[in-house]
Amino acid sequence: MAVVAIDLSKCINCGWCRRVCPTETIKYFSTGHRTHIVEPDGCIDCGICAPVCPVDCIEAVPGYTVAPELLTAAREKAKQHAGAQRKMKLDRDAVIARTLEKLREGVHAGA
Ligand code: SF4
Ligand code: SF4
């Protein structure tokens, strides 16, 4: 298990990593210096954050061990996050389908 950390000397505070983190373990402002930090005990090492960083400043911290109960809680949070994302996508797809249907009806009514 490798937790990740942000190199604050390179971070441009774009917020992408915070938006994609499924455990909400990347925080902003919590240091009081307007920086992004990873709260290590919430990191499940999913690796989603590193590829979205435009300046490649998210790196592994080998050797950090998250207590099993914290890891379980973080994984549960990630599971709930994934469920919420899935629901949001289904809701969005339903809205798009309804909108397209209305547009089609409008076209046929006007024809
Ligand atoms: S590796 Fe996953 S859980 Fe850890 S900070 Fe990045 S996105 Fe969040
Ligand atoms: S994605 Fe990279 S640059 Fe953007 S806030 Fe996160 S660590 Fe900083």
Side-chain angles (χ1 to χ4, degrees):
M1 169 63 57
V3 165
V4 299
I6 294 170
D7 180 347
L8 296 181
S9 67
K10 295 183 192 161
C11 174
I12 57 171
N13 282 318
C14 69
W16 279 109
C17 57
R18 180 166 44 89
R19 291 189 191 95
V20 299
C21 176
T23 60
E24 297 175 334
T25 193
I26 299 179
K27 307 287 185 194
Y28 187 43
F29 287 153
S30 27
T31 58
H33 300 292
R34 300 172 74 89
T35 53
H36 278 80
I37 59 158
V38 179
E39 289 178 347
D41 287 342
C43 181
I44 57 170
D45 191 28
C46 66
I48 293 174
C49 56
V52 304
C53 177
V55 293
D56 290 329
C57 69
I58 302 177
E59 288 162 4
V61 183
Y64 188 94
T65 310
V66 180
E69 65 275 15
L70 297 177
L71 197 54
T72 302
R75 283 182 177 147
E76 187 52 41
K77 200 167 186 177
K79 216 184 298 174
Q80 286 170 11
H81 176 85
Q85 293 287 101
R86 208 163 28 243
K87 183 177 178 319
M88 205 159 65
K89 183 184 178 314
L90 290 174
D91 289 350
R92 191 185 58 211
D93 289 351
V95 168
I96 291 170
R98 279 201 302 274
T99 306
L100 288 174
E101 190 55 34
K102 276 185 193 160
L103 286 172
R104 273 194 286 269
E105 284 169 10
V107 168
H108 291 313

